[in-house]
Amino acid sequence: MVRHYAEGPIDGLILAATSGEGMSLGVDELERLVAVTRAETSESRRYMPICLGLSGASTGKMLDVLDETAAWPSDGYLIASP
């Protein structure tokens, strides 16, 4: 699916944003999602930015998640305010 969209007229991908998967996946699963998506987009003819969707009810937990994900191969975040 990533390859299909990477070849289409889109400017980037937002992972685990509003469809609920971000809240149901663990940190290890989110990391794998980002890594696999980056690997697939790397094979594309153009650079495809990847943003990770994050949301939660606790500012402290959100800060922890930002610290955990900072080194992942994503380009930014789409964050729903706690």
Side-chain angles (χ1 to χ4, degrees):
M1 200 157 76
V2 171
R3 280 185 237 148
H4 169 77
Y5 285 113
E7 293 177 7
I10 64 169
D11 294 321
L13 298 167
I14 300 173
L15 308 177
T18 59
S19 60
E21 70 273 16
M23 296 294 288
S24 61
L25 296 175
V27 174
D28 291 342
E29 293 169 310
L30 288 172
E31 184 175 20
R32 175 135 172 78
L33 177 62
V34 171
V36 167
T37 302
R38 175 55 70 210
E40 290 297 326
T41 61
S42 293
E43 296 179 16
S44 175
R45 294 183 192 128
R46 61 189 174 98
Y47 185 77
M48 178 79 51
I50 295 173
C51 290
L52 180 60
L54 298 177
S55 62
S58 166
T59 301
K61 287 183 182 179
M62 291 297 293
L63 290 172
D64 291 342
V65 172
L66 286 170
D67 286 342
E68 287 184 64
T69 61
W72 295 3
S74 61
D75 300 292
Y77 298 95
L78 175 66
I79 299 176
S81 299

